[in-house]
Amino acid sequence: MTLEERIIQSLDKIRPYIQRDGGDMEFVSVSDKGVVTVRLLGACIGCGLIDYTLRGGVEALLMDEIEEVTGVIAEDYDL
């Protein structure tokens, strides 16, 4: 399984919780330094809790499950 496939598989574990609140996110890319970029969708756009969701949820999960991942950023979103 490729790195991208493993990242998408891990993101799919947390997406139902995000979708339950009207938001969503999708995998965009992973850099050669292990930084994953995701695209925010729905209620995630402009949400005041997105920093917590990205760092405390998505990033924590990915870094725990995939040793190559060093961080997570949102596309076109200033954190």
Side-chain angles (χ1 to χ4, degrees), residues 39-54:
R39 180 176 297 119
L40 303 176
L41 304 166
C44 286
I45 300 171
C47 174
L49 298 175
I50 194 59
D51 186 46
Y52 173 77
T53 301
L54 281 177

Side-chain angles (χ1 to χ4, degrees), residues 2-76:
T2 69
L3 175 57
E4 289 184 2
E5 290 170 333
R6 289 185 291 144
I7 291 169
I8 291 168
Q9 185 177 39
S10 289
L11 286 175
D12 285 345
K13 292 178 183 178
I14 201 167
R15 285 182 67 221
Y17 301 102
I18 296 168
Q19 291 169 336
R20 190 171 49 199
D21 291 328
D24 204 353
M25 66 178 54
E26 61 186 22
F27 172 77
V28 175
S29 64
V30 60
S31 76
D32 58 353
K33 296 183 183 200
V35 178
V36 175
T37 301
V38 295
R39 180 176 297 119
L40 303 176
L41 304 166
C44 286
I45 300 171
C47 174
L49 298 175
I50 194 59
D51 186 46
Y52 173 77
T53 301
L54 281 177
R55 302 288 177 247
V58 178
E59 184 177 79
L61 173 73
L62 289 178
M63 289 176 70
D64 185 54
E65 292 190 350
I66 305 169
E67 70 179 47
E68 297 95 332
V69 173
T70 60
V72 175
I73 61 172
E75 179 182 71
D76 298 324

